[in-house]
Amino acid sequence: MQAARKIKRPCKQGFSLIELVIVVVIIGIIGAIAVPKMSRGAKGAADSAVTANLTVLRNALDLYATEHGGSYPTFANMPNALLQYTDAGGTPSATKTLTAIYGPYIRAVPKLPVGSNKGKATFTSTAPGGTVADAGWYYDASTGTVLANCLDTETDESNVAYNDY
């Protein structure tokens, strides 16, 4: 008796036209969802960065005020009061001493990520709005207010002025 031989049949390879069309349609749907979200990505990221930077500065000032009897740093001491050690009166010191025991509250002043003063990490006491001083942030020592130093016309995607954050 002869051993039964297996007959090799040619197997069907590749994709049918319908399978390819389905894949293209799925990719099109994903693209239609993703492209609008990615196109606003840079602008949305800058808006988030402003919010995050303001949160860092405001938290540092709140902690400073808590440790200094409710007083905020003077404009003249800003930003050294946040970047260095301070004594109970708020006098900055580059090193920790027996009296300069508070702080530092931040490692570096964040740069303003938007607007005409983009990239600046300095402070001004001139309120933002119609004209903007050459600084990244506005600081009011009497209230501890920190705002983005932007023109009223510089707004986010929701048309909210950055200096209103």
mmCIF file of all heavy atoms in Angstrom, residues 95-119:
data_model
loop_
_atom_site.group_PDB
_atom_site.id
_atom_site.type_symbol
_atom_site.label_atom_id
_atom_site.label_comp_id
_atom_site.label_asym_id
_atom_site.label_seq_id
_atom_site.Cartn_x
_atom_site.Cartn_y
_atom_site.Cartn_z
ATOM 1 N N THR A 95 22.215 81.953 52.196
ATOM 2 C CA THR A 95 22.448 80.715 52.930
ATOM 3 C C THR A 95 21.544 80.653 54.150
ATOM 4 O O THR A 95 21.082 81.679 54.663
ATOM 5 C CB THR A 95 23.919 80.622 53.399
ATOM 6 O OG1 THR A 95 24.204 81.763 54.217
ATOM 7 C CG2 THR A 95 24.869 80.580 52.214
ATOM 8 N N LYS A 96 21.340 79.454 54.616
ATOM 9 C CA LYS A 96 20.529 79.268 55.815
ATOM 10 C C LYS A 96 21.383 79.645 57.026
ATOM 11 O O LYS A 96 22.516 79.213 57.155
ATOM 12 C CB LYS A 96 20.068 77.811 55.904
ATOM 13 C CG LYS A 96 19.030 77.557 56.949
ATOM 14 C CD LYS A 96 18.477 76.154 56.821
ATOM 15 C CE LYS A 96 17.285 75.983 57.720
ATOM 16 N NZ LYS A 96 16.629 74.692 57.516
ATOM 17 N N THR A 97 20.823 80.461 57.892
ATOM 18 C CA THR A 97 21.514 80.883 59.111
ATOM 19 C C THR A 97 20.617 80.599 60.305
ATOM 20 O O THR A 97 19.513 80.063 60.152
ATOM 21 C CB THR A 97 21.846 82.392 59.056
ATOM 22 O OG1 THR A 97 20.617 83.131 59.042
ATOM 23 C CG2 THR A 97 22.670 82.737 57.822
ATOM 24 N N LEU A 98 21.074 81.000 61.475
ATOM 25 C CA LEU A 98 20.263 80.794 62.669
ATOM 26 C C LEU A 98 18.963 81.597 62.628
ATOM 27 O O LEU A 98 17.959 81.194 63.199
ATOM 28 C CB LEU A 98 21.065 81.167 63.925
ATOM 29 C CG LEU A 98 22.232 80.241 64.260
ATOM 30 C CD1 LEU A 98 23.025 80.771 65.441
ATOM 31 C CD2 LEU A 98 21.737 78.830 64.546
ATOM 32 N N THR A 99 18.975 82.735 61.925
ATOM 33 C CA THR A 99 17.760 83.552 61.838
ATOM 34 C C THR A 99 17.035 83.379 60.506
ATOM 35 O O THR A 99 15.817 83.474 60.451
ATOM 36 C CB THR A 99 18.095 85.038 62.036
ATOM 37 O OG1 THR A 99 19.069 85.429 61.079
ATOM 38 C CG2 THR A 99 18.615 85.297 63.445
ATOM 39 N N ALA A 100 17.772 83.127 59.448
ATOM 40 C CA ALA A 100 17.147 82.938 58.129
ATOM 41 C C ALA A 100 16.789 81.462 57.968
ATOM 42 O O ALA A 100 17.526 80.674 57.360
ATOM 43 C CB ALA A 100 18.093 83.396 57.019
ATOM 44 N N ILE A 101 15.653 81.090 58.524
ATOM 45 C CA ILE A 101 15.259 79.682 58.565
ATOM 46 C C ILE A 101 14.095 79.348 57.633
ATOM 47 O O ILE A 101 13.741 78.185 57.469
ATOM 48 C CB ILE A 101 14.880 79.269 60.007
ATOM 49 C CG1 ILE A 101 13.744 80.160 60.531
ATOM 50 C CG2 ILE A 101 16.089 79.314 60.912
ATOM 51 C CD1 ILE A 101 13.185 79.733 61.874
ATOM 52 N N TYR A 102 13.509 80.357 57.009
ATOM 53 C CA TYR A 102 12.334 80.128 56.156
ATOM 54 C C TYR A 102 12.745 80.077 54.686
ATOM 55 O O TYR A 102 13.629 80.793 54.256
ATOM 56 C CB TYR A 102 11.300 81.232 56.360
ATOM 57 C CG TYR A 102 10.884 81.405 57.790
ATOM 58 C CD1 TYR A 102 11.281 82.525 58.514
ATOM 59 C CD2 TYR A 102 10.112 80.451 58.431
ATOM 60 C CE1 TYR A 102 10.914 82.681 59.838
ATOM 61 C CE2 TYR A 102 9.731 80.600 59.749
ATOM 62 C CZ TYR A 102 10.138 81.715 60.453
ATOM 63 O OH TYR A 102 9.770 81.868 61.763
ATOM 64 N N GLY A 103 12.040 79.247 53.929
ATOM 65 C CA GLY A 103 12.276 79.180 52.488
ATOM 66 C C GLY A 103 13.416 78.242 52.149
ATOM 67 O O GLY A 103 13.887 77.514 53.003
ATOM 68 N N PRO A 104 13.898 78.268 50.952
ATOM 69 C CA PRO A 104 13.334 78.919 49.770
ATOM 70 C C PRO A 104 12.015 78.259 49.353
ATOM 71 O O PRO A 104 11.789 77.095 49.631
ATOM 72 C CB PRO A 104 14.408 78.766 48.694
ATOM 73 C CG PRO A 104 15.309 77.677 49.159
ATOM 74 C CD PRO A 104 15.145 77.570 50.651
ATOM 75 N N TYR A 105 11.188 79.016 48.678
ATOM 76 C CA TYR A 105 9.844 78.558 48.347
ATOM 77 C C TYR A 105 9.727 78.037 46.921
ATOM 78 O O TYR A 105 8.822 77.266 46.628
ATOM 79 C CB TYR A 105 8.843 79.694 48.595
ATOM 80 C CG TYR A 105 8.899 80.158 50.031
ATOM 81 C CD1 TYR A 105 9.655 81.269 50.392
ATOM 82 C CD2 TYR A 105 8.247 79.454 51.026
ATOM 83 C CE1 TYR A 105 9.735 81.675 51.713
ATOM 84 C CE2 TYR A 105 8.319 79.847 52.350
ATOM 85 C CZ TYR A 105 9.071 80.957 52.695
ATOM 86 O OH TYR A 105 9.148 81.348 54.003
ATOM 87 N N ILE A 106 10.592 78.498 46.038
ATOM 88 C CA ILE A 106 10.655 77.990 44.666
ATOM 89 C C ILE A 106 12.117 77.924 44.246
ATOM 90 O O ILE A 106 12.972 78.596 44.825
ATOM 91 C CB ILE A 106 9.859 78.862 43.659
ATOM 92 C CG1 ILE A 106 10.296 80.327 43.717
ATOM 93 C CG2 ILE A 106 8.366 78.731 43.874
ATOM 94 C CD1 ILE A 106 9.623 81.212 42.680
ATOM 95 N N ARG A 107 12.419 77.090 43.257
ATOM 96 C CA ARG A 107 13.797 76.975 42.758
ATOM 97 C C ARG A 107 14.132 78.067 41.754
ATOM 98 O O ARG A 107 15.260 78.521 41.675
ATOM 99 C CB ARG A 107 14.000 75.621 42.108
ATOM 100 C CG ARG A 107 13.975 74.494 43.088
ATOM 101 C CD ARG A 107 14.269 73.196 42.409
ATOM 102 N NE ARG A 107 14.166 72.109 43.370
ATOM 103 C CZ ARG A 107 14.294 70.858 43.064
ATOM 104 N NH1 ARG A 107 14.522 70.504 41.819
ATOM 105 N NH2 ARG A 107 14.204 69.931 43.984
ATOM 106 N N ALA A 108 13.136 78.443 40.959
ATOM 107 C CA ALA A 108 13.336 79.476 39.942
ATOM 108 C C ALA A 108 11.988 80.115 39.640
ATOM 109 O O ALA A 108 10.947 79.466 39.759
ATOM 110 C CB ALA A 108 13.915 78.878 38.665
ATOM 111 N N VAL A 109 12.030 81.367 39.260
ATOM 112 C CA VAL A 109 10.802 82.042 38.844
ATOM 113 C C VAL A 109 10.444 81.525 37.453
ATOM 114 O O VAL A 109 11.278 81.568 36.545
ATOM 115 C CB VAL A 109 10.990 83.574 38.805
ATOM 116 C CG1 VAL A 109 9.742 84.249 38.256
ATOM 117 C CG2 VAL A 109 11.325 84.110 40.188
ATOM 118 N N PRO A 110 9.229 81.000 37.276
ATOM 119 C CA PRO A 110 8.860 80.490 35.951
ATOM 120 C C PRO A 110 8.745 81.624 34.930
ATOM 121 O O PRO A 110 8.415 82.751 35.276
ATOM 122 C CB PRO A 110 7.502 79.819 36.189
ATOM 123 C CG PRO A 110 6.980 80.403 37.458
ATOM 124 C CD PRO A 110 8.162 80.846 38.260
ATOM 125 N N LYS A 111 9.021 81.271 33.692
ATOM 126 C CA LYS A 111 8.911 82.251 32.607
ATOM 127 C C LYS A 111 7.474 82.318 32.121
ATOM 128 O O LYS A 111 6.771 81.310 32.099
ATOM 129 C CB LYS A 111 9.826 81.867 31.453
ATOM 130 C CG LYS A 111 11.285 81.928 31.819
ATOM 131 C CD LYS A 111 12.148 81.495 30.662
ATOM 132 C CE LYS A 111 13.615 81.550 31.063
ATOM 133 N NZ LYS A 111 14.490 81.092 29.996
ATOM 134 N N LEU A 112 7.062 83.505 31.729
ATOM 135 C CA LEU A 112 5.726 83.672 31.153
ATOM 136 C C LEU A 112 5.700 82.969 29.792
ATOM 137 O O LEU A 112 6.516 83.272 28.930
ATOM 138 C CB LEU A 112 5.398 85.156 30.995
ATOM 139 C CG LEU A 112 4.017 85.484 30.430
ATOM 140 C CD1 LEU A 112 2.924 85.053 31.401
ATOM 141 C CD2 LEU A 112 3.890 86.967 30.149
ATOM 142 N N PRO A 113 4.783 82.002 29.588
ATOM 143 C CA PRO A 113 4.798 81.224 28.349
ATOM 144 C C PRO A 113 3.985 81.806 27.192
ATOM 145 O O PRO A 113 3.931 81.204 26.123
ATOM 146 C CB PRO A 113 4.218 79.876 28.787
ATOM 147 C CG PRO A 113 3.320 80.200 29.921
ATOM 148 C CD PRO A 113 3.918 81.395 30.595
ATOM 149 N N VAL A 114 3.340 82.951 27.380
ATOM 150 C CA VAL A 114 2.479 83.519 26.334
ATOM 151 C C VAL A 114 2.643 85.026 26.259
ATOM 152 O O VAL A 114 3.201 85.647 27.152
ATOM 153 C CB VAL A 114 0.984 83.198 26.600
ATOM 154 C CG1 VAL A 114 0.703 81.713 26.548
ATOM 155 C CG2 VAL A 114 0.540 83.789 27.926
ATOM 156 N N GLY A 115 2.100 85.603 25.197
ATOM 157 C CA GLY A 115 1.968 87.048 25.099
ATOM 158 C C GLY A 115 3.221 87.786 24.665
ATOM 159 O O GLY A 115 4.230 87.191 24.306
ATOM 160 N N SER A 116 3.132 89.110 24.727
ATOM 161 C CA SER A 116 4.216 89.967 24.267
ATOM 162 C C SER A 116 5.435 89.901 25.181
ATOM 163 O O SER A 116 6.532 90.259 24.772
ATOM 164 C CB SER A 116 3.721 91.412 24.153
ATOM 165 O OG SER A 116 3.157 91.826 25.378
ATOM 166 N N ASN A 117 5.270 89.447 26.418
ATOM 167 C CA ASN A 117 6.396 89.295 27.346
ATOM 168 C C ASN A 117 6.789 87.833 27.526
ATOM 169 O O ASN A 117 7.373 87.465 28.549
ATOM 170 C CB ASN A 117 6.055 89.925 28.694
ATOM 171 C CG ASN A 117 6.080 91.428 28.631
ATOM 172 O OD1 ASN A 117 6.918 92.002 27.959
ATOM 173 N ND2 ASN A 117 5.145 92.070 29.301
ATOM 174 N N LYS A 118 6.487 87.025 26.555
ATOM 175 C CA LYS A 118 6.796 85.595 26.601
ATOM 176 C C LYS A 118 8.285 85.386 26.879
ATOM 177 O O LYS A 118 9.141 86.045 26.302
ATOM 178 C CB LYS A 118 6.421 84.950 25.259
ATOM 179 C CG LYS A 118 6.679 83.471 25.191
ATOM 180 C CD LYS A 118 6.236 82.914 23.862
ATOM 181 C CE LYS A 118 6.484 81.421 23.799
ATOM 182 N NZ LYS A 118 5.994 80.848 22.554
ATOM 183 N N GLY A 119 8.573 84.469 27.787
ATOM 184 C CA GLY A 119 9.955 84.125 28.109
ATOM 185 C C GLY A 119 10.574 84.954 29.220
ATOM 186 O O GLY A 119 11.699 84.707 29.621
#
